[in-house]
Amino acid sequence: MGQIINVGSIADYVGQEVTVRGWVYDRTDKGKLQFIMVRDGTGIVQCVAFRGNLPEAEFEAASKVTQESSVIVTGTVKANERVKKGIPSGYEIDLKSFQVLQMVEDYPITPKEHGVEFLMDNRHLWLRSNRQWAILRIRATIIREMRNWLDDHGYLLVDTPIITPSAGEDTTSLFEIDYHGEPAFLAQTGQLYNEANMMAFGKVYCFGPTFRAEKSKTRRHLMEFWMLEPEMAFTSLEEMMDMEQEFVSHVIQSVLEKHRKELEILERDTGKLENILPLFPRISYDEAVERLQKLAAETQDPEQKELLKIEWGSDFGSPHETALTQMFDRPVFVYHYPTQVKAFYMQPVEGRPEVCRSVDLLAPEGYGEITGGSERIHDPVLIEERVSKIGIPRENYAWYLDLRKYGSVPHAGFGLGLERTVAWICGLPHIRETIPYARLMNRKYP
C-alpha cells in the first residue's frame, strides 16, 4: 500500500505511489481500460485501471464498480493535462490495486436530470454531488473567514441563548415551545443578549442558528438559518458601515483566493465578485425611494411599474432591492429607514423621530439584504418611551432595559445572514442549497 493521501493534495505526489480511500463518483468503460472517478471529500481524482496492471479479480471489480461504491485504490500519480473539468487539474492515478469495500446497488441519484423535490427528498445523498460539494466548501470558508476577521480585530465570540422568553424583534414570526409548562420561543436573533455582552467586553459577536416562523416561500427565506451578529460599544452608524465594507470585502476576496476551482464548478461569474472592494456606495432611504419612484415613472412595462411602486414609509420588497442594486457595481448601503418598519431599539435620527439610525447592506445581482443593523437607543428614558408606545410587555424586557441604567454608551451592531451571503457569493438561484439540510415552510425532512 502506498502512502495514504487526500485527493486535495495530490499535486504534491507526482511520480509517487499513493493510496486513496473514497467513493466512486463516475466510471467510463473502455474495455481493457476503466476510467474511474474517485472522490474522498477533499476532491475528485481520475483513476486509470488497465487490465495488464491489476490482478484479474481486481480488474473485474473495477470494470463493474458502481456509482458511490466505497473503494481503496493504490497507484502512481501522473500528470495528465487532458483530465476533465471538475477534477483536480492535470493529475490521475495509474492503478496497481483496486479494492471494493461495498458495491452499491441502485444508487438513486444518477447523472441524469432529477427534479428539485426529488433531490431535496434525497438531500442526505445529494450532498455528495460535485455542485453541493463546492457550495458547502465555500460556506465553510465564509464562516472561517468571518470569524477570523472578527477575532483578529478585537471582537470576542460570546454565545447567546437559542431558547428565549420573548421576541427579539416581532412576535409574528416566533416558533413557540413548551418550556416546562411555560411558553418560550426559539431565538430570532441573539442581538439583545449581545448588547449585554458588549457592555462586558466592548466588541463582541455571536454566531449561531436563528429561527423565523413567517410563512414565506421565497427563494431568500429559510425557517432555520445561521446569523453572525457583531455588536460594538462607542460606535456610530457611519463607523459601523466602514467596518462592514472592510469585513464583507475580506470574505469575498478570501473566497476568490481559495476557491477558484469550486466557483468554476458552479459556473460563477467571478468578475462580478472581484469588484467587491471598498468603498461601498451609501444612499439614504429618502434617496432610494426617489430613485425607485423615478424608475417606475420612466418604465414602459406596466408589470414592472406596478412592482416598483412604493410610497415613503413602506419597507422595500425584493423588486425594490433588486432595482436599487442594479444602479451600482457593488453592494450598496441604504440608511435611515422609517422608524415604523424597523425594530423598537433603533436610535431615532436627531430632529426626525420618524426616521431611525438604521442601515441595510444590499448585495448586487438581486440577492437582497445581506446585513441589517443600526445604532441602538442608549438613553434609558427614550427606550422606556419606545417600549411603552408600541405596547411591548415591559416585564419581558426588564433585564434589557437595565442595560441603559448601568453605564449606558452609544453602540451599534448588525446581523449577517450566512445563507443569503453564500447564495450571493456562489451565484445560486435559491437559498435551499446553501445549508446542508434546509428547513423550508413545506420541508423538515431529511
Side-chain angles (χ1 to χ4, degrees), residues 268 367 418-428 430-431 434:
R268 180 61 161 119
Y367 284 95
L418 172 62
E419 285 74 22
R420 285 192 185 183
T421 304
V422 174
W424 165 39
I425 294 175
C426 292
L428 306 178
H430 199 289
I431 202 168
T434 63

Side-chain angles (χ1 to χ4, degrees), residues 197-204 231-234:
N197 300 336
M198 172 273 302
M199 294 287 282
F201 300 103
K203 293 197 298 187
V204 298
E231 199 76 23
M232 300 151 273
F234 304 103

Side-chain angles (χ1 to χ4, degrees), residues 305-346:
K305 190 182 291 288
E306 185 64 28
L307 287 172
L308 292 175
K309 187 184 295 183
I310 190 169
E311 297 297 328
W312 195 99
S314 301
D315 204 357
F316 296 138
S318 176
H320 304 117
E321 292 176 343
T322 299
L324 286 170
T325 58
Q326 287 173 343
M327 302 175 188
F328 305 94
D329 65 349
R330 63 195 68 195
V332 56
F333 288 112
V334 181
Y335 61 89
H336 288 184
Y337 281 79
T339 301
Q340 67 191 37
V341 301
K342 291 296 183 181
F344 73 93
Y345 47 72
M346 296 189 178

Side-chain angles (χ1 to χ4, degrees), residues 160 190-198 204-206 229-231:
T160 55
Q191 183 234 306
L192 302 189
Y193 293 95
N194 231 14
E195 289 189 58
N197 300 336
M198 172 273 302
V204 298
Y205 70 98
C206 62
E229 299 178 271
E231 199 76 23

Side-chain angles (χ1 to χ4, degrees), residues 147-156 203 243 246 250:
R147 293 187 56 170
N148 286 348
W149 192 95
L150 291 168
D151 292 344
D152 291 344
H153 286 77
Y155 292 77
L156 184 70
K203 293 197 298 187
M243 173 270 189
E246 296 293 337
H250 168 80

